[in-house]
Amino acid sequence: MNRLHSFTEENYLKAIYKLGGHEGMVSTNALAEELETKAPSVTDMVRKLKDKKLITYKKYKGVQLTNEGALVAIKVIRKHRLWEVFLVDKLQFAWDEVHEVAEQLEHIVSPKLVDRLESFLEFPKFDPHGDPIPSKDGVFPSKNTHKLSHCKKGNSGFVRGVENDETSFLQYLTHIGLRLNDHIKLEKVFDFDGSMEISINKGKPVHISQEVAENILIESL
């Protein structure tokens, strides 16, 4: 099957969607930082994507996805998150190990393979980090979550996702024994620095920083 878009083009579109969503404007500097590349490379790719009508570009303002560009980005995101589920649930990868592997697998073209993968996984709604998996039609499932840092002493709920999916952060959560869908109760908040003590699955209290709490998403009971 012939590719309609190169790996690099798909990565750019996915990055624009991550930074600005379907309709948000994204600066070329922000795009260069996200993709860890230099400004001239971004300029060249922006020109190509604009010629293909996948983005619009306004000087001094940035880039914005067209409907077609957003559709491509969402398809890549869908494949990435389905592959992450497969790697964790079926191949026993840790949640901090799957991102780079899924980055490679997300560029597989075959729609038939992706549909069968989704069916094999029994149509998951969220990936191992709690991020929503868009449907075949590009619709994202809704989730009712908020940051742990917004909770008050005595509040409890279940971990449904993370704001930060960097390897070092996920490894930290694994180290303190916290995983997706675990039960959390906020035992204490320290006024000095906003740090917290939480109990995980009714276990011994664990101390976490305010920054960590900012990056944990929970669904309250």
Side-chain angles (χ1 to χ4, degrees):
M1 182 179 296
N2 294 327
R3 297 196 65 84
L4 294 176
H5 311 289
S6 71
F7 292 4
T8 304
E9 288 171 343
E10 290 182 344
N11 286 336
Y12 267 77
L13 294 171
K14 186 176 70 167
I16 295 169
Y17 192 93
K18 176 182 177 182
L19 296 171
H22 192 155
E23 300 178 347
M25 190 72 70
V26 177
S27 73
T28 53
N29 286 337
L31 193 53
E33 183 177 351
E34 174 67 23
L35 292 167
E36 299 180 350
T37 191
K38 297 180 179 179
S41 298
V42 173
T43 300
D44 289 343
M45 182 54 66
V46 164
R47 188 180 300 112
K48 291 178 182 178
L49 295 175
K50 184 174 180 292
D51 289 344
K52 290 188 174 184
K53 296 181 170 47
L54 297 171
I55 64 168
T56 58
Y57 171 71
K58 293 183 180 180
K59 196 172 183 180
Y60 306 121
K61 290 187 177 181
V63 300
Q64 185 179 29
L65 293 171
T66 62
N67 287 337
E68 184 180 351
L71 182 61
V72 174
I74 290 170
K75 284 182 177 179
V76 176
I77 291 168
R78 168 177 158 79
K79 288 185 284 185
H80 182 101
R81 294 178 180 174
L82 283 171
W83 282 118
E84 285 195 339
V85 174
F86 175 77
L87 291 167
V88 170
D89 289 1
K90 304 302 179 182
L91 299 185
Q92 285 72 57
F93 277 72
W95 67 343
D96 59 90
E97 296 177 319
V98 295
H99 183 72
E100 289 186 3
V101 181
E103 286 274 321
Q104 301 170 50
L105 294 168
E106 70 185 23
H107 298 293
I108 292 174
V109 176
S110 172
K112 186 175 182 179
L113 173 60
V114 178
D115 289 346
R116 290 194 175 184
L117 174 64
E118 182 183 42
S119 177
F120 175 67
L121 296 171
E122 298 180 345
F123 303 94
K125 299 296 183 184
F126 301 95
D127 75 8
H129 310 114
D131 293 319
I133 300 172
S135 69
K136 187 176 181 179
D137 298 324
V139 179
F140 287 82
S142 60
K143 56 191 299 188
N144 183 26
T145 61
H146 54 272
K147 295 181 178 182
L148 177 60
S149 57
H150 294 173
C151 295
K152 297 180 179 180
K153 179 181 176 181
N155 290 166
S156 63
F158 293 95
V159 179
R160 298 304 191 203
V162 291
E163 288 277 87
N164 183 344
D165 62 358
E166 293 180 6
T167 299
S168 58
F169 181 66
L170 298 175
Q171 288 176 340
Y172 169 78
L173 295 184
T174 298
H175 177 74
I176 65 172
L178 185 63
R179 298 179 182 276
L180 204 65
N181 299 318
D182 279 351
H183 177 268
I184 283 182
K185 182 178 180 182
L186 181 51
E187 304 287 356
K188 188 180 295 186
V189 180
F190 295 93
D191 292 335
F192 174 68
D193 60 359
S195 62
M196 300 176 171
E197 275 190 356
I198 60 171
S199 59
I200 303 169
N201 297 326
K202 300 182 179 180
K204 184 178 178 181
V206 176
H207 185 268
I208 62 172
S209 69
Q210 184 179 37
E211 182 179 2
V212 170
E214 282 279 340
N215 283 287
I216 297 174
L217 300 175
I218 72 166
E219 181 181 10
S220 295
L221 292 176

